[in-house]
């Protein structure tokens, strides 16, 4: 590995650069190309370090490309440039199944570039079918990719189309470009539901029947709905109205408590909190203080906590949080800007066990 390219979501390139500079040193960053504001690159020995350390720590990188190859714009229309066909030759030399991920970087709300990237992928596949049928027989659609599947990533930026070959298990996110789209449930009252579903997917675990949940900032009820449909017992804390049923057919139950969530403590008789969920619209420092208290009191097992970001420079807000979480014995955690997050990031964590009853 000589080169690694990190892709931020549109408009989060500065946040990613700031984060990367904190982790690995600003002097190691490859200078910014003004045409690619949402791309951060490392070359040489630092690329390997980023590769080793970044997988579980990067917050603002949606996806990454190892040893990317640039096909300049003039050449990047269909049929695929010979540069890209080199990738097919590498794949043809192996025996693994393979798939194609296409996406575009840095053009918020513009469908055009993603469409162009998709067309490059289609052209690549058509060429493969025609010229290397044995390799084409090993192609699988992205959803059917396993951990060992090779992924031919094509990322379109203003400089052209970058391609890279990686194993699916080595991607930062298994979805093309990190666009970790979750299916909506028509019973959910709002799109916030997608954030918690994505968090469960990223954590690799979801709540089970009978688990006890405190959901702070619960209105109108997207997160509470996600828990209750899995049969959980939910305390939904918010002064705002809930737009979901108190009881779900799965056996899940939601009790709405119209109180402030910041200093909230569960009522007597609530013997444990399997999940703390928090999506309150409050300053990051308030969320940090609250999470510290809950962890300090040892009264939770898992948490999904959303932190609303300041308009500028999120890293100085996130660094102390990360340092604190790292200092908690027995805590496994991730901080990520999820695909369904807006100007926010999500903290996901699991303590070894519920340590004691909350006073
Ligand atoms: C983004 S919404 C939450 C959406 C919710 N997670 C869902 O899935 O429906 C933020 C919520 O935080 C609530 N909130 C803000 N400050 C709060 C506080 N101090 N205590 C409790 N709730 C608060 C607001 O009333 C608002 O409903």
């Amino acid at each position: 590995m000589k080169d690694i390219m990190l892709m931020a979501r549109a408009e989060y390139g500065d946040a990613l650069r700031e984060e990367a500079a904190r982790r690995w040193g600003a002097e190691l960053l490859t200078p910014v190309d003004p045409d690619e504001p949402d791309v951060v690159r490392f070359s040489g020995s630092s690329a390997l370090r980023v590769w080793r350390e970044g997988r579980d720590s990067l917050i603002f990188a949606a996806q990454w490309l190892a040893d990317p190859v640039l096909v300049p714009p003039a050449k990047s229309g269909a049929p695929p440039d010979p540069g890209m066909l080199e990738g097919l030759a590498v794949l043809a030399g192996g025996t693994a199944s393979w798939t194609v991920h296409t996406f575009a970087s840095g053009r918020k709300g513009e469908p055009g570039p993603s469409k162009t990237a998709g067309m490059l992928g289609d052209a690549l596949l058509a060429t493969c079918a025609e010229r290397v049928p044995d390799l084409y027989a090993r192609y699988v659609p992205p959803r059917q990719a396993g951990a060992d599947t090779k992924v031919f990533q094509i990322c379109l930026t203003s400089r052209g189309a970058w391609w890279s070959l990686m194993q699916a298990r080595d991607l930062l996110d298994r979805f093309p470009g990190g666009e970790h789209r979750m299916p909506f449930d028509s019973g959910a009252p709002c799109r916030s539901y997608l954030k918690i579903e994505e968090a469960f997917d990223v954590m690799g675990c979801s709540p089970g029947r009978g688990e006890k949940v405190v959901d702070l900032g619960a209105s109108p009820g997207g997160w509470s709905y996600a828990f209750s449909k899995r049969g959980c017992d939910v305390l939904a804390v918010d002064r705002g109205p809930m737009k979901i049923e108190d009881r779900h057919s799965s056996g899940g139950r939601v009790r709405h408590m119209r109180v402030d969530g910041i200093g909230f403590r569960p009522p007597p008789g609530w013997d444990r909190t399997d999940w703390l969920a928090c999506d309150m619209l409050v300053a990051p420092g308030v969320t940090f203080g609250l999470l510290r208290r809950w962890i300090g009191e040892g009264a939770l097992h898992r948490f999904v906590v959303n932190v609303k970001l300041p308009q500028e420079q999120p890293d100085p807000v996130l660094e102390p949080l990360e340092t604190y979480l790292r200092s908690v014995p027995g805590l496994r955690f991730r901080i990520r800007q999820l695909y369904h997050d807006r100007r926010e990031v999500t903290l996901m964590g699991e303590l070894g066990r519920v340590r004691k009853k909350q006073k």
Side-chain angles (χ1 to χ4, degrees):
M1 157 103 48
K2 295 193 191 76
D3 195 359
I4 192 153
M5 189 157 118
L6 313 178
M7 323 295 308
R9 260 170 54 170
E11 297 176 10
Y12 285 89
D14 286 346
L16 176 58
R17 233 178 310 285
E18 201 181 29
E19 181 196 352
R22 159 167 68 88
R23 293 191 195 285
W24 298 293
E27 69 287 357
L28 294 180
L29 288 166
T30 306
V32 188
D33 187 310
D35 286 337
E36 294 184 316
D38 296 316
V39 167
V40 172
R41 285 182 70 182
F42 288 90
S43 303
S45 58
S46 54
L48 206 54
R49 229 183 117 200
V50 173
W51 172 254
R52 289 200 183 116
E53 298 168 13
R55 151 170 297 288
D56 296 324
S57 61
L58 279 161
I59 300 172
F60 288 103
Q63 191 54 281
W64 61 9
L65 281 75
D67 291 326
V69 180
L70 178 66
V71 177
K75 297 183 181 175
S76 63
D81 183 271
M84 259 189 217
L85 298 183
E86 267 170 38
L88 289 186
V90 174
L91 283 170
T95 53
S97 63
W98 67 289
T99 192
V100 179
H101 284 188
T102 62
F103 52 99
S105 148
R107 267 63 71 87
K108 199 179 177 188
E110 276 182 55
S114 309
K115 220 169 147 187
T116 308
M119 282 160 54
L120 289 172
D122 292 345
L124 184 80
L125 273 178
T127 307
C128 176
E130 190 189 307
R131 298 194 202 167
V132 208
D134 288 354
L135 175 61
Y136 186 69
R138 284 193 268 125
Y139 171 80
V140 293
R143 276 178 193 279
Q144 287 170 23
D148 293 329
T149 301
K150 287 269 188 183
V151 182
F152 196 119
Q153 296 194 89
I154 301 175
C155 171
L156 196 70
T157 73
S158 304
R159 288 181 66 199
W162 293 89
W163 66 268
S164 151
L165 280 180
M166 295 171 74
Q167 273 195 317
R169 67 156 57 83
D170 292 331
L171 298 180
L172 267 187
D173 191 289
R174 70 176 195 279
F175 284 69
E179 295 188 3
H180 202 120
R181 289 173 206 270
M182 301 305 293
F184 193 63
D185 177 329
S186 57
C190 60
R191 299 199 70 76
S192 281
Y193 164 83
L194 297 170
K195 287 195 286 189
I196 192 87
E197 288 292 327
E198 186 180 348
F200 295 153
D201 208 39
V202 168
M203 290 172 89
C205 75
S206 56
R209 184 177 297 275
E211 289 200 311
K212 296 185 137 193
V213 181
V214 171
D215 183 6
L216 305 175
S219 163
W223 289 28
S224 290
Y225 177 82
F227 284 106
S228 72
K229 82 174 197 177
R230 292 176 167 87
C232 297
D233 184 4
V234 184
L235 289 182
V237 181
D238 201 308
R239 291 213 165 88
M242 293 295 281
K243 294 188 180 155
I244 55 172
E245 303 292 328
D246 295 346
R247 284 185 185 273
H248 196 278
S249 54
S250 65
R253 177 180 179 206
V254 177
R255 276 176 277 172
H256 185 188
M257 311 194 69
R258 287 179 182 273
V259 293
D260 189 83
I262 297 169
F264 179 79
R265 283 181 160 79
W270 184 265
D271 62 346
R272 63 176 202 278
T273 300
D274 297 305
W275 291 79
L276 173 72
C278 175
D279 190 23
M280 286 192 294
L281 265 178
V282 293
V286 174
T287 308
F288 182 14
L290 175 148
L291 181 60
R292 234 183 136 112
R293 172 170 68 76
W294 275 82
I295 290 177
E297 290 177 355
L300 79 169
H301 183 201
R302 297 190 170 105
F303 59 82
V304 179
V305 170
N306 199 274
V307 179
K308 313 296 168 189
L309 297 175
Q311 273 315 308
E312 283 174 9
Q313 294 197 305
D315 201 59
V317 167
L318 297 174
E319 190 196 354
L321 244 169
E322 190 177 317
T323 305
Y324 163 69
L325 292 174
R326 218 177 264 135
S327 75
V328 178
L331 174 66
R332 292 193 309 130
F333 72 95
R334 275 309 311 266
I335 310 178
R336 263 187 85 78
Q337 184 178 44
L338 301 179
Y339 172 69
H340 292 291
D341 278 339
R342 292 168 194 263
R343 192 157 182 91
E344 51 202 2
V345 298
T346 301
L347 321 185
M348 295 154 276
E350 179 178 333
L351 280 156
R353 59 202 156 86
V354 183
R355 286 183 285 177
K356 65 184 181 192
K357 224 170 128 174
Q358 192 164 25
K359 293 188 187 97

